mmCIF file of all heavy atoms in Angstrom:
data_model
loop_
_atom_site.group_PDB
_atom_site.id
_atom_site.type_symbol
_atom_site.label_atom_id
_atom_site.label_comp_id
_atom_site.label_asym_id
_atom_site.label_seq_id
_atom_site.Cartn_x
_atom_site.Cartn_y
_atom_site.Cartn_z
ATOM 1 N N ALA K 26 -9.619 -35.343 -38.908
ATOM 2 C CA ALA K 26 -9.914 -36.203 -39.933
ATOM 3 C C ALA K 26 -11.439 -36.659 -39.798
ATOM 4 O O ALA K 26 -11.986 -36.580 -38.817
ATOM 5 C CB ALA K 26 -9.103 -37.489 -39.969
ATOM 6 N N GLY K 27 -12.104 -37.159 -40.986
ATOM 7 C CA GLY K 27 -13.455 -37.514 -40.994
ATOM 8 C C GLY K 27 -14.471 -36.439 -40.907
ATOM 9 O O GLY K 27 -15.704 -36.858 -40.772
ATOM 10 N N VAL K 28 -14.208 -35.084 -41.057
ATOM 11 C CA VAL K 28 -15.230 -34.192 -40.997
ATOM 12 C C VAL K 28 -15.872 -34.072 -42.400
ATOM 13 O O VAL K 28 -15.181 -34.003 -43.406
ATOM 14 C CB VAL K 28 -14.602 -32.771 -40.704
ATOM 15 C CG1 VAL K 28 -15.580 -31.690 -40.789
ATOM 16 C CG2 VAL K 28 -13.962 -32.845 -39.281
ATOM 17 N N VAL K 29 -17.130 -34.122 -42.388
ATOM 18 C CA VAL K 29 -17.886 -34.086 -43.730
ATOM 19 C C VAL K 29 -17.757 -32.603 -44.254
ATOM 20 O O VAL K 29 -18.203 -31.576 -43.647
ATOM 21 C CB VAL K 29 -19.348 -34.271 -43.507
ATOM 22 C CG1 VAL K 29 -20.136 -34.232 -44.898
ATOM 23 C CG2 VAL K 29 -19.497 -35.852 -42.930
ATOM 24 N N PRO K 30 -17.130 -32.529 -45.437
ATOM 25 C CA PRO K 30 -17.010 -31.234 -46.139
ATOM 26 C C PRO K 30 -18.334 -30.562 -46.486
ATOM 27 O O PRO K 30 -19.232 -31.255 -46.856
ATOM 28 C CB PRO K 30 -16.004 -31.444 -47.394
ATOM 29 C CG PRO K 30 -16.268 -32.937 -47.668
ATOM 30 C CD PRO K 30 -16.666 -33.631 -46.387
ATOM 31 N N LYS K 31 -18.340 -29.214 -46.413
ATOM 32 C CA LYS K 31 -19.535 -28.499 -46.936
ATOM 33 C C LYS K 31 -19.044 -27.826 -48.246
ATOM 34 O O LYS K 31 -17.994 -27.813 -48.633
ATOM 35 C CB LYS K 31 -19.851 -27.452 -45.724
ATOM 36 C CG LYS K 31 -20.182 -28.044 -44.405
ATOM 37 C CD LYS K 31 -20.535 -26.836 -43.520
ATOM 38 C CE LYS K 31 -20.949 -27.465 -42.115
ATOM 39 N NZ LYS K 31 -21.317 -26.301 -41.197
ATOM 40 N N GLN K 32 -20.245 -27.314 -48.873
ATOM 41 C CA GLN K 32 -20.025 -26.513 -50.144
ATOM 42 C C GLN K 32 -18.894 -25.513 -50.032
ATOM 43 O O GLN K 32 -19.094 -24.615 -49.052
ATOM 44 C CB GLN K 32 -21.292 -26.002 -50.682
ATOM 45 C CG GLN K 32 -21.117 -25.279 -52.041
ATOM 46 C CD GLN K 32 -22.430 -25.234 -52.755
ATOM 47 O OE1 GLN K 32 -23.083 -26.066 -53.157
ATOM 48 N NE2 GLN K 32 -22.816 -23.853 -53.005
ATOM 49 N N GLY K 33 -17.900 -25.486 -50.829
ATOM 50 C CA GLY K 33 -16.864 -24.472 -50.712
ATOM 51 C C GLY K 33 -15.699 -24.970 -49.916
ATOM 52 O O GLY K 33 -14.676 -24.290 -49.796
ATOM 53 N N ASP K 34 -15.677 -26.234 -49.405
ATOM 54 C CA ASP K 34 -14.569 -26.936 -48.773
ATOM 55 C C ASP K 34 -13.777 -27.659 -49.746
ATOM 56 O O ASP K 34 -14.293 -28.129 -50.842
ATOM 57 C CB ASP K 34 -15.091 -27.872 -47.780
ATOM 58 C CG ASP K 34 -15.444 -27.207 -46.429
ATOM 59 O OD1 ASP K 34 -15.157 -25.971 -46.227
ATOM 60 O OD2 ASP K 34 -16.092 -27.790 -45.592
ATOM 61 N N PHE K 35 -12.502 -27.837 -49.493
ATOM 62 C CA PHE K 35 -11.738 -28.726 -50.346
ATOM 63 C C PHE K 35 -12.131 -30.168 -50.052
ATOM 64 O O PHE K 35 -12.219 -30.566 -49.062
ATOM 65 C CB PHE K 35 -10.239 -28.459 -50.093
ATOM 66 C CG PHE K 35 -9.711 -27.206 -50.664
ATOM 67 C CD1 PHE K 35 -9.590 -26.080 -49.814
ATOM 68 C CD2 PHE K 35 -9.190 -27.085 -51.856
ATOM 69 C CE1 PHE K 35 -9.201 -24.863 -50.260
ATOM 70 C CE2 PHE K 35 -8.791 -25.908 -52.398
ATOM 71 C CZ PHE K 35 -8.798 -24.742 -51.593
ATOM 72 N N LEU K 36 -12.323 -30.896 -51.201
ATOM 73 C CA LEU K 36 -12.939 -32.119 -51.216
ATOM 74 C C LEU K 36 -11.929 -33.287 -51.645
ATOM 75 O O LEU K 36 -11.965 -34.392 -51.030
ATOM 76 C CB LEU K 36 -14.237 -32.160 -52.164
ATOM 77 C CG LEU K 36 -14.833 -33.636 -52.383
ATOM 78 C CD1 LEU K 36 -15.618 -33.997 -51.197
ATOM 79 C CD2 LEU K 36 -15.871 -33.477 -53.560
ATOM 80 N N TRP K 37 -11.129 -32.986 -52.628
ATOM 81 C CA TRP K 37 -10.368 -34.166 -53.212
ATOM 82 C C TRP K 37 -9.179 -33.541 -53.955
ATOM 83 O O TRP K 37 -9.150 -32.330 -54.224
ATOM 84 C CB TRP K 37 -11.266 -34.834 -54.247
ATOM 85 C CG TRP K 37 -10.730 -36.068 -54.962
ATOM 86 C CD1 TRP K 37 -10.613 -36.281 -56.270
ATOM 87 C CD2 TRP K 37 -10.363 -37.292 -54.248
ATOM 88 N NE1 TRP K 37 -10.139 -37.554 -56.565
ATOM 89 C CE2 TRP K 37 -9.900 -38.234 -55.315
ATOM 90 C CE3 TRP K 37 -10.086 -37.758 -52.946
ATOM 91 C CZ2 TRP K 37 -9.346 -39.502 -55.123
ATOM 92 C CZ3 TRP K 37 -9.717 -39.010 -52.745
ATOM 93 C CH2 TRP K 37 -9.269 -39.868 -53.864
ATOM 94 N N HIS K 38 -8.159 -34.381 -54.245
ATOM 95 C CA HIS K 38 -7.024 -33.959 -54.975
ATOM 96 C C HIS K 38 -6.553 -34.967 -55.978
ATOM 97 O O HIS K 38 -6.542 -36.254 -55.684
ATOM 98 C CB HIS K 38 -5.806 -33.623 -54.030
ATOM 99 C CG HIS K 38 -6.113 -32.596 -53.012
ATOM 100 N ND1 HIS K 38 -6.821 -32.949 -51.965
ATOM 101 C CD2 HIS K 38 -5.798 -31.224 -53.003
ATOM 102 C CE1 HIS K 38 -7.018 -31.748 -51.184
ATOM 103 N NE2 HIS K 38 -6.295 -30.752 -51.814
ATOM 104 N N GLU K 39 -6.319 -34.485 -57.173
ATOM 105 C CA GLU K 39 -5.848 -35.458 -58.236
ATOM 106 C C GLU K 39 -4.454 -34.864 -58.839
ATOM 107 O O GLU K 39 -4.426 -33.760 -59.122
ATOM 108 C CB GLU K 39 -6.842 -35.625 -59.367
ATOM 109 C CG GLU K 39 -8.091 -36.411 -59.049
ATOM 110 C CD GLU K 39 -9.134 -36.575 -60.050
ATOM 111 O OE1 GLU K 39 -8.978 -35.972 -61.192
ATOM 112 O OE2 GLU K 39 -10.192 -37.246 -59.805
ATOM 113 N N LEU K 40 -3.624 -35.832 -58.911
ATOM 114 C CA LEU K 40 -2.355 -35.473 -59.692
ATOM 115 C C LEU K 40 -2.568 -35.835 -61.142
ATOM 116 O O LEU K 40 -2.778 -36.988 -61.486
ATOM 117 C CB LEU K 40 -1.112 -36.321 -59.126
ATOM 118 C CG LEU K 40 0.227 -36.098 -59.872
ATOM 119 C CD1 LEU K 40 0.700 -34.694 -59.852
ATOM 120 C CD2 LEU K 40 1.249 -37.108 -59.346
ATOM 121 N N TRP K 41 -2.511 -34.821 -62.009
ATOM 122 C CA TRP K 41 -2.625 -35.062 -63.469
ATOM 123 C C TRP K 41 -1.193 -35.085 -64.003
ATOM 124 O O TRP K 41 -0.488 -34.054 -63.975
ATOM 125 C CB TRP K 41 -3.449 -33.927 -64.074
ATOM 126 C CG TRP K 41 -4.865 -33.854 -63.622
ATOM 127 C CD1 TRP K 41 -5.431 -34.724 -62.798
ATOM 128 C CD2 TRP K 41 -5.822 -32.846 -64.152
ATOM 129 N NE1 TRP K 41 -6.866 -34.329 -62.647
ATOM 130 C CE2 TRP K 41 -7.075 -33.243 -63.380
ATOM 131 C CE3 TRP K 41 -5.853 -31.912 -64.950
ATOM 132 C CZ2 TRP K 41 -8.239 -32.566 -63.632
ATOM 133 C CZ3 TRP K 41 -7.093 -31.212 -65.236
ATOM 134 C CH2 TRP K 41 -8.282 -31.477 -64.468
ATOM 135 N N THR K 42 -0.682 -36.138 -64.457
ATOM 136 C CA THR K 42 0.679 -36.344 -64.636
ATOM 137 C C THR K 42 0.995 -37.123 -65.864
ATOM 138 O O THR K 42 0.293 -37.836 -66.506
ATOM 139 C CB THR K 42 1.322 -37.210 -63.426
ATOM 140 O OG1 THR K 42 2.679 -37.417 -63.690
ATOM 141 C CG2 THR K 42 0.718 -38.584 -63.404
ATOM 142 N N SER K 43 2.260 -36.802 -66.488
ATOM 143 C CA SER K 43 2.638 -37.404 -67.650
ATOM 144 C C SER K 43 3.135 -38.908 -67.482
ATOM 145 O O SER K 43 3.269 -39.624 -68.414
ATOM 146 C CB SER K 43 3.809 -36.637 -68.233
ATOM 147 O OG SER K 43 4.884 -36.599 -67.342
ATOM 148 N N ASP K 44 3.247 -39.342 -66.219
ATOM 149 C CA ASP K 44 3.667 -40.766 -65.927
ATOM 150 C C ASP K 44 3.020 -41.179 -64.656
ATOM 151 O O ASP K 44 3.656 -41.073 -63.607
ATOM 152 C CB ASP K 44 5.270 -40.774 -65.892
ATOM 153 C CG ASP K 44 5.726 -42.159 -65.933
ATOM 154 O OD1 ASP K 44 5.095 -43.113 -65.565
ATOM 155 O OD2 ASP K 44 6.995 -42.386 -66.251
ATOM 156 N N VAL K 45 1.894 -41.776 -64.814
ATOM 157 C CA VAL K 45 1.164 -42.303 -63.611
ATOM 158 C C VAL K 45 2.026 -43.397 -62.933
ATOM 159 O O VAL K 45 1.998 -43.400 -61.707
ATOM 160 C CB VAL K 45 -0.210 -42.873 -64.054
ATOM 161 C CG1 VAL K 45 -0.923 -43.557 -62.956
ATOM 162 C CG2 VAL K 45 -1.066 -41.783 -64.684
ATOM 163 N N PHE K 46 2.716 -44.242 -63.705
ATOM 164 C CA PHE K 46 3.268 -45.409 -62.966
ATOM 165 C C PHE K 46 4.646 -45.007 -62.308
ATOM 166 O O PHE K 46 4.951 -45.768 -61.427
ATOM 167 C CB PHE K 46 3.519 -46.527 -64.021
ATOM 168 C CG PHE K 46 2.302 -47.135 -64.552
ATOM 169 C CD1 PHE K 46 1.776 -46.837 -65.846
ATOM 170 C CD2 PHE K 46 1.520 -47.954 -63.781
ATOM 171 C CE1 PHE K 46 0.617 -47.325 -66.390
ATOM 172 C CE2 PHE K 46 0.382 -48.475 -64.264
ATOM 173 C CZ PHE K 46 -0.100 -48.186 -65.546
ATOM 174 N N ALA K 47 5.182 -43.984 -62.670
ATOM 175 C CA ALA K 47 6.315 -43.422 -61.945
ATOM 176 C C ALA K 47 5.958 -42.490 -60.739
ATOM 177 O O ALA K 47 6.463 -42.527 -59.680
ATOM 178 C CB ALA K 47 7.271 -42.588 -62.845
ATOM 179 N N ALA K 48 4.855 -41.673 -60.944
ATOM 180 C CA ALA K 48 4.471 -40.771 -59.891
ATOM 181 C C ALA K 48 3.760 -41.449 -58.741
ATOM 182 O O ALA K 48 3.950 -40.977 -57.558
ATOM 183 C CB ALA K 48 3.520 -39.709 -60.571
ATOM 184 N N SER K 49 3.035 -42.536 -59.042
ATOM 185 C CA SER K 49 2.313 -43.242 -57.970
ATOM 186 C C SER K 49 3.174 -43.766 -56.897
ATOM 187 O O SER K 49 2.931 -43.330 -55.647
ATOM 188 C CB SER K 49 1.422 -44.283 -58.472
ATOM 189 O OG SER K 49 0.412 -43.858 -59.376
ATOM 190 N N PRO K 50 4.267 -44.507 -57.155
ATOM 191 C CA PRO K 50 5.125 -44.882 -56.030
ATOM 192 C C PRO K 50 5.915 -43.836 -55.381
ATOM 193 O O PRO K 50 6.308 -44.039 -54.170
ATOM 194 C CB PRO K 50 5.982 -46.057 -56.760
ATOM 195 C CG PRO K 50 5.892 -45.726 -58.187
ATOM 196 C CD PRO K 50 4.526 -45.127 -58.458
#
């Protein structure tokens, strides 16, 4: 953990969802 990503590394993840309030918990 804590390694600074370089260009071409995976940086972040987002769940694009039809129900934010159900998916988050």
Side-chain angles (χ1 to χ4, degrees):
V28 176
V29 177
K31 298 180 181 180
Q32 179 161 299
D34 284 341
F35 288 92
L36 172 72
W37 184 239
H38 299 81
E39 290 179 357
L40 175 63
W41 296 1
T42 181
S43 58
D44 193 337
V45 173
F46 293 105
S49 298

